[in-house]
Amino acid sequence: DARVTQTPRHKVTEMGQEVTMRCQPILGHNTVFWYRQTMMQGLELLAYFRNRAPLDDSGMPKDRFSAEMPDATLATLKIQPSEPRDSAVYFCASGFPETGGFYEQYFGPGTRLTVT
Amino acid sequence: SQQGEEDPQALSIQEGENATMNCSYKTSINNLQWYRQNSGRGLVHLILIRSNEREKHSGRLRVTLDTSKKSSSLLITASRAADTASYFCATDVKGDYGQNFVFGPGTRLSVLP
């Protein structure tokens, strides 16, 4: 049963600390998405990669956030330095472009980040 | 306001009843998808409807798309307590850098036993 995995599931950290979230996409999926979910803003697309190359990271605050795919089995989202307003659930999703260019996205369980 | 907006924000029904949720969007889309999110979990893809389709069925789910009104609806028939979740529509549009995926704020559905 192929699934997207994310680690850690929960992270509590102090303001100013670096946070790294990891995602393992489903094998064979060439596109990885990072989302952030909060009560106020809902689900926001931060960035997505296709074949490990960033396609769109316009939703990501560039000054403190960075996203990479070191290899096809690992995507990372890093926040440095973290701030209380970064507290949210961060989801990774993976997919493969179907005919017509659309994606059915498979979501991981999320990383719940709390920055104090 | 957002590209995709679900209506109503919250819906409470009895088991066995039908639940209808609506989604409106602003710009032209390539396709529209519906996802379900159980509390504390990731989203699960339910159904996708392409811009040239008007209706699609999957089990107890029925989705319609009216591109002239820029709206879609999700109907869940014969609801069950297990259908309790938040439901999101997601639109796939052309953004400045290519495709952009926009989720609405969701409809929170409660199915009472």
Side-chain angles (χ1 to χ4, degrees), chain B residues 63-95:
Chain B
V63 169
T64 62
L65 179 64
D66 187 334
T67 53
S68 67
K69 294 181 180 178
K70 293 188 169 58
S71 67
S72 172
S73 67
L74 170 67
L75 168 68
I76 304 174
T77 59
S79 63
R80 306 167 181 166
D83 295 328
T84 294
S86 291
Y87 292 82
F88 297 85
C89 69
T91 52
D92 175 358
V93 302
K94 279 211 181 299

mmCIF file of all heavy atoms in Angstrom, chain B residues 63-95:
data_model
loop_
_atom_site.group_PDB
_atom_site.id
_atom_site.type_symbol
_atom_site.label_atom_id
_atom_site.label_comp_id
_atom_site.label_asym_id
_atom_site.label_seq_id
_atom_site.Cartn_x
_atom_site.Cartn_y
_atom_site.Cartn_z
ATOM 1 N N VAL B 63 -20.423 14.379 -8.783
ATOM 2 C CA VAL B 63 -19.866 15.718 -8.945
ATOM 3 C C VAL B 63 -20.383 16.316 -10.234
ATOM 4 O O VAL B 63 -20.438 15.646 -11.259
ATOM 5 C CB VAL B 63 -18.324 15.667 -8.974
ATOM 6 C CG1 VAL B 63 -17.745 17.003 -9.415
ATOM 7 C CG2 VAL B 63 -17.786 15.296 -7.607
ATOM 8 N N THR B 64 -20.762 17.576 -10.165
ATOM 9 C CA THR B 64 -21.144 18.300 -11.365
ATOM 10 C C THR B 64 -20.226 19.497 -11.530
ATOM 11 O O THR B 64 -19.644 19.996 -10.564
ATOM 12 C CB THR B 64 -22.604 18.778 -11.295
ATOM 13 O OG1 THR B 64 -22.732 19.686 -10.194
ATOM 14 C CG2 THR B 64 -23.553 17.608 -11.127
ATOM 15 N N LEU B 65 -20.105 19.937 -12.753
ATOM 16 C CA LEU B 65 -19.281 21.094 -13.063
ATOM 17 C C LEU B 65 -20.017 21.962 -14.063
ATOM 18 O O LEU B 65 -20.458 21.469 -15.109
ATOM 19 C CB LEU B 65 -17.929 20.664 -13.630
ATOM 20 C CG LEU B 65 -16.967 21.791 -14.026
ATOM 21 C CD1 LEU B 65 -16.548 22.602 -12.801
ATOM 22 C CD2 LEU B 65 -15.739 21.229 -14.736
ATOM 23 N N ASP B 66 -20.149 23.216 -13.737
ATOM 24 C CA ASP B 66 -20.766 24.192 -14.643
ATOM 25 C C ASP B 66 -19.731 25.282 -14.888
ATOM 26 O O ASP B 66 -19.565 26.179 -14.067
ATOM 27 C CB ASP B 66 -22.037 24.765 -14.014
ATOM 28 C CG ASP B 66 -22.817 25.647 -14.984
ATOM 29 O OD1 ASP B 66 -22.188 26.207 -15.918
ATOM 30 O OD2 ASP B 66 -24.031 25.798 -14.804
ATOM 31 N N THR B 67 -19.032 25.180 -15.997
ATOM 32 C CA THR B 67 -17.963 26.148 -16.262
ATOM 33 C C THR B 67 -18.518 27.531 -16.594
ATOM 34 O O THR B 67 -17.820 28.523 -16.388
ATOM 35 C CB THR B 67 -17.061 25.665 -17.405
ATOM 36 O OG1 THR B 67 -17.876 25.353 -18.542
ATOM 37 C CG2 THR B 67 -16.262 24.443 -16.994
ATOM 38 N N SER B 68 -19.757 27.598 -17.057
ATOM 39 C CA SER B 68 -20.324 28.917 -17.355
ATOM 40 C C SER B 68 -20.591 29.684 -16.067
ATOM 41 O O SER B 68 -20.479 30.910 -16.028
ATOM 42 C CB SER B 68 -21.612 28.773 -18.162
ATOM 43 O OG SER B 68 -22.625 28.161 -17.390
ATOM 44 N N LYS B 69 -20.907 28.949 -15.009
ATOM 45 C CA LYS B 69 -21.147 29.588 -13.708
ATOM 46 C C LYS B 69 -19.923 29.493 -12.814
ATOM 47 O O LYS B 69 -19.942 29.979 -11.681
ATOM 48 C CB LYS B 69 -22.343 28.924 -13.010
ATOM 49 C CG LYS B 69 -23.665 29.136 -13.724
ATOM 50 C CD LYS B 69 -24.798 28.476 -12.964
ATOM 51 C CE LYS B 69 -26.127 28.697 -13.686
ATOM 52 N NZ LYS B 69 -27.260 28.021 -13.008
ATOM 53 N N LYS B 70 -18.885 28.823 -13.308
ATOM 54 C CA LYS B 70 -17.670 28.630 -12.514
ATOM 55 C C LYS B 70 -18.031 28.028 -11.154
ATOM 56 O O LYS B 70 -17.696 28.573 -10.097
ATOM 57 C CB LYS B 70 -16.898 29.935 -12.349
ATOM 58 C CG LYS B 70 -16.298 30.464 -13.643
ATOM 59 C CD LYS B 70 -15.387 31.662 -13.385
ATOM 60 C CE LYS B 70 -14.576 32.025 -14.615
ATOM 61 N NZ LYS B 70 -15.371 32.329 -15.807
ATOM 62 N N SER B 71 -18.719 26.915 -11.221
ATOM 63 C CA SER B 71 -19.117 26.272 -9.968
ATOM 64 C C SER B 71 -19.165 24.766 -10.130
ATOM 65 O O SER B 71 -19.323 24.237 -11.238
ATOM 66 C CB SER B 71 -20.474 26.797 -9.498
ATOM 67 O OG SER B 71 -21.477 26.384 -10.395
ATOM 68 N N SER B 72 -19.026 24.093 -8.999
ATOM 69 C CA SER B 72 -19.092 22.640 -8.962
ATOM 70 C C SER B 72 -19.857 22.244 -7.706
ATOM 71 O O SER B 72 -19.888 22.995 -6.728
ATOM 72 C CB SER B 72 -17.677 22.044 -8.907
ATOM 73 O OG SER B 72 -17.714 20.646 -8.699
ATOM 74 N N SER B 73 -20.462 21.070 -7.757
ATOM 75 C CA SER B 73 -21.118 20.573 -6.558
ATOM 76 C C SER B 73 -20.710 19.125 -6.332
ATOM 77 O O SER B 73 -20.442 18.379 -7.275
ATOM 78 C CB SER B 73 -22.637 20.681 -6.675
ATOM 79 O OG SER B 73 -23.107 19.791 -7.677
ATOM 80 N N LEU B 74 -20.659 18.785 -5.065
ATOM 81 C CA LEU B 74 -20.371 17.405 -4.645
ATOM 82 C C LEU B 74 -21.579 16.909 -3.871
ATOM 83 O O LEU B 74 -21.979 17.526 -2.888
ATOM 84 C CB LEU B 74 -19.129 17.352 -3.762
ATOM 85 C CG LEU B 74 -18.845 16.009 -3.061
ATOM 86 C CD1 LEU B 74 -18.490 14.935 -4.078
ATOM 87 C CD2 LEU B 74 -17.724 16.165 -2.030
ATOM 88 N N LEU B 75 -22.157 15.836 -4.353
ATOM 89 C CA LEU B 75 -23.298 15.217 -3.677
ATOM 90 C C LEU B 75 -22.855 13.879 -3.107
ATOM 91 O O LEU B 75 -22.297 13.051 -3.840
ATOM 92 C CB LEU B 75 -24.449 15.015 -4.662
ATOM 93 C CG LEU B 75 -25.619 14.131 -4.191
ATOM 94 C CD1 LEU B 75 -26.388 14.815 -3.066
ATOM 95 C CD2 LEU B 75 -26.550 13.813 -5.361
ATOM 96 N N ILE B 76 -23.105 13.693 -1.834
ATOM 97 C CA ILE B 76 -22.880 12.393 -1.191
ATOM 98 C C ILE B 76 -24.252 11.827 -0.870
ATOM 99 O O ILE B 76 -25.000 12.427 -0.091
ATOM 100 C CB ILE B 76 -22.045 12.520 0.097
ATOM 101 C CG1 ILE B 76 -20.714 13.222 -0.184
ATOM 102 C CG2 ILE B 76 -21.797 11.151 0.715
ATOM 103 C CD1 ILE B 76 -19.905 13.514 1.072
ATOM 104 N N THR B 77 -24.572 10.718 -1.456
ATOM 105 C CA THR B 77 -25.882 10.122 -1.220
ATOM 106 C C THR B 77 -25.816 9.121 -0.066
ATOM 107 O O THR B 77 -24.758 8.547 0.224
ATOM 108 C CB THR B 77 -26.404 9.402 -2.474
ATOM 109 O OG1 THR B 77 -25.462 8.374 -2.837
ATOM 110 C CG2 THR B 77 -26.546 10.377 -3.636
ATOM 111 N N ALA B 78 -26.954 8.944 0.582
ATOM 112 C CA ALA B 78 -27.063 7.959 1.672
ATOM 113 C C ALA B 78 -25.887 8.065 2.631
ATOM 114 O O ALA B 78 -25.120 7.124 2.820
ATOM 115 C CB ALA B 78 -27.170 6.552 1.087
ATOM 116 N N SER B 79 -25.742 9.237 3.214
ATOM 117 C CA SER B 79 -24.551 9.510 4.025
ATOM 118 C C SER B 79 -24.444 8.564 5.223
ATOM 119 O O SER B 79 -25.451 8.034 5.726
ATOM 120 C CB SER B 79 -24.582 10.961 4.509
ATOM 121 O OG SER B 79 -25.698 11.174 5.338
ATOM 122 N N ARG B 80 -23.192 8.391 5.644
ATOM 123 C CA ARG B 80 -22.888 7.539 6.792
ATOM 124 C C ARG B 80 -22.081 8.347 7.804
ATOM 125 O O ARG B 80 -21.465 9.351 7.439
ATOM 126 C CB ARG B 80 -22.052 6.338 6.337
ATOM 127 C CG ARG B 80 -22.668 5.544 5.214
ATOM 128 C CD ARG B 80 -21.667 4.591 4.605
ATOM 129 N NE ARG B 80 -22.246 3.829 3.496
ATOM 130 C CZ ARG B 80 -21.532 3.121 2.627
ATOM 131 N NH1 ARG B 80 -20.213 3.044 2.761
ATOM 132 N NH2 ARG B 80 -22.132 2.468 1.647
ATOM 133 N N ALA B 81 -22.054 7.889 9.026
ATOM 134 C CA ALA B 81 -21.279 8.587 10.050
ATOM 135 C C ALA B 81 -19.809 8.710 9.631
ATOM 136 O O ALA B 81 -19.141 9.697 9.934
ATOM 137 C CB ALA B 81 -21.407 7.858 11.386
ATOM 138 N N ALA B 82 -19.320 7.717 8.899
ATOM 139 C CA ALA B 82 -17.920 7.724 8.461
ATOM 140 C C ALA B 82 -17.630 8.808 7.420
ATOM 141 O O ALA B 82 -16.463 9.086 7.119
ATOM 142 C CB ALA B 82 -17.545 6.362 7.892
ATOM 143 N N ASP B 83 -18.680 9.407 6.874
ATOM 144 C CA ASP B 83 -18.478 10.506 5.913
ATOM 145 C C ASP B 83 -18.159 11.821 6.619
ATOM 146 O O ASP B 83 -17.856 12.821 5.956
ATOM 147 C CB ASP B 83 -19.721 10.689 5.040
ATOM 148 C CG ASP B 83 -19.998 9.491 4.149
ATOM 149 O OD1 ASP B 83 -19.035 8.824 3.725
ATOM 150 O OD2 ASP B 83 -21.195 9.226 3.871
ATOM 151 N N THR B 84 -18.271 11.834 7.942
ATOM 152 C CA THR B 84 -17.947 13.041 8.696
ATOM 153 C C THR B 84 -16.502 13.425 8.440
ATOM 154 O O THR B 84 -15.585 12.648 8.714
ATOM 155 C CB THR B 84 -18.176 12.807 10.194
ATOM 156 O OG1 THR B 84 -19.570 12.599 10.424
ATOM 157 C CG2 THR B 84 -17.695 13.999 11.012
ATOM 158 N N ALA B 85 -16.301 14.616 7.908
ATOM 159 C CA ALA B 85 -14.968 15.064 7.504
ATOM 160 C C ALA B 85 -15.112 16.473 6.944
ATOM 161 O O ALA B 85 -16.214 16.998 6.822
ATOM 162 C CB ALA B 85 -14.379 14.132 6.446
ATOM 163 N N SER B 86 -13.990 17.052 6.571
ATOM 164 C CA SER B 86 -14.003 18.303 5.808
ATOM 165 C C SER B 86 -13.770 17.973 4.346
ATOM 166 O O SER B 86 -12.971 17.095 4.019
ATOM 167 C CB SER B 86 -12.915 19.254 6.303
ATOM 168 O OG SER B 86 -13.211 19.728 7.604
ATOM 169 N N TYR B 87 -14.483 18.672 3.497
ATOM 170 C CA TYR B 87 -14.400 18.423 2.062
ATOM 171 C C TYR B 87 -13.906 19.691 1.364
ATOM 172 O O TYR B 87 -14.414 20.791 1.612
ATOM 173 C CB TYR B 87 -15.765 18.000 1.518
ATOM 174 C CG TYR B 87 -16.173 16.640 2.026
ATOM 175 C CD1 TYR B 87 -16.751 16.498 3.294
ATOM 176 C CD2 TYR B 87 -15.939 15.496 1.269
ATOM 177 C CE1 TYR B 87 -17.087 15.249 3.785
ATOM 178 C CE2 TYR B 87 -16.281 14.239 1.751
ATOM 179 C CZ TYR B 87 -16.845 14.129 3.010
ATOM 180 O OH TYR B 87 -17.177 12.883 3.492
ATOM 181 N N PHE B 88 -12.922 19.507 0.515
ATOM 182 C CA PHE B 88 -12.286 20.628 -0.172
ATOM 183 C C PHE B 88 -12.379 20.448 -1.676
ATOM 184 O O PHE B 88 -12.208 19.341 -2.187
ATOM 185 C CB PHE B 88 -10.794 20.703 0.190
ATOM 186 C CG PHE B 88 -10.505 20.959 1.635
ATOM 187 C CD1 PHE B 88 -10.453 19.916 2.548
ATOM 188 C CD2 PHE B 88 -10.283 22.253 2.090
ATOM 189 C CE1 PHE B 88 -10.183 20.150 3.887
ATOM 190 C CE2 PHE B 88 -10.012 22.501 3.430
ATOM 191 C CZ PHE B 88 -9.963 21.454 4.323
ATOM 192 N N CYS B 89 -12.624 21.553 -2.347
ATOM 193 C CA CYS B 89 -12.461 21.527 -3.791
ATOM 194 C C CYS B 89 -11.105 22.142 -4.111
ATOM 195 O O CYS B 89 -10.612 23.016 -3.385
ATOM 196 C CB CYS B 89 -13.583 22.268 -4.513
ATOM 197 S SG CYS B 89 -13.613 24.061 -4.307
ATOM 198 N N ALA B 90 -10.490 21.667 -5.154
ATOM 199 C CA ALA B 90 -9.186 22.159 -5.567
ATOM 200 C C ALA B 90 -9.214 22.404 -7.058
ATOM 201 O O ALA B 90 -9.662 21.552 -7.830
ATOM 202 C CB ALA B 90 -8.094 21.139 -5.229
ATOM 203 N N THR B 91 -8.778 23.580 -7.442
ATOM 204 C CA THR B 91 -8.763 23.921 -8.859
ATOM 205 C C THR B 91 -7.334 23.943 -9.372
ATOM 206 O O THR B 91 -6.402 24.304 -8.657
ATOM 207 C CB THR B 91 -9.423 25.290 -9.099
ATOM 208 O OG1 THR B 91 -8.827 26.263 -8.231
ATOM 209 C CG2 THR B 91 -10.909 25.230 -8.831
ATOM 210 N N ASP B 92 -7.204 23.549 -10.593
ATOM 211 C CA ASP B 92 -5.914 23.472 -11.264
ATOM 212 C C ASP B 92 -5.944 24.544 -12.338
ATOM 213 O O ASP B 92 -6.659 24.417 -13.332
ATOM 214 C CB ASP B 92 -5.765 22.071 -11.867
ATOM 215 C CG ASP B 92 -4.507 21.923 -12.681
ATOM 216 O OD1 ASP B 92 -3.761 22.909 -12.818
ATOM 217 O OD2 ASP B 92 -4.285 20.822 -13.205
ATOM 218 N N VAL B 93 -5.222 25.635 -12.098
ATOM 219 C CA VAL B 93 -5.267 26.774 -13.018
ATOM 220 C C VAL B 93 -3.862 27.098 -13.484
ATOM 221 O O VAL B 93 -2.874 26.669 -12.886
ATOM 222 C CB VAL B 93 -5.890 28.017 -12.344
ATOM 223 C CG1 VAL B 93 -7.283 27.718 -11.856
ATOM 224 C CG2 VAL B 93 -5.023 28.505 -11.200
ATOM 225 N N LYS B 94 -3.805 27.873 -14.500
ATOM 226 C CA LYS B 94 -2.509 28.333 -14.987
ATOM 227 C C LYS B 94 -2.084 29.511 -14.127
ATOM 228 O O LYS B 94 -2.770 30.513 -14.029
ATOM 229 C CB LYS B 94 -2.612 28.765 -16.450
ATOM 230 C CG LYS B 94 -2.550 27.617 -17.424
ATOM 231 C CD LYS B 94 -1.918 28.066 -18.725
ATOM 232 C CE LYS B 94 -1.874 26.950 -19.732
ATOM 233 N NZ LYS B 94 -1.077 25.822 -19.245
ATOM 234 N N GLY B 95 -0.894 29.374 -13.476
ATOM 235 C CA GLY B 95 -0.358 30.463 -12.680
ATOM 236 C C GLY B 95 0.764 31.143 -13.432
ATOM 237 O O GLY B 95 1.061 30.826 -14.580
#
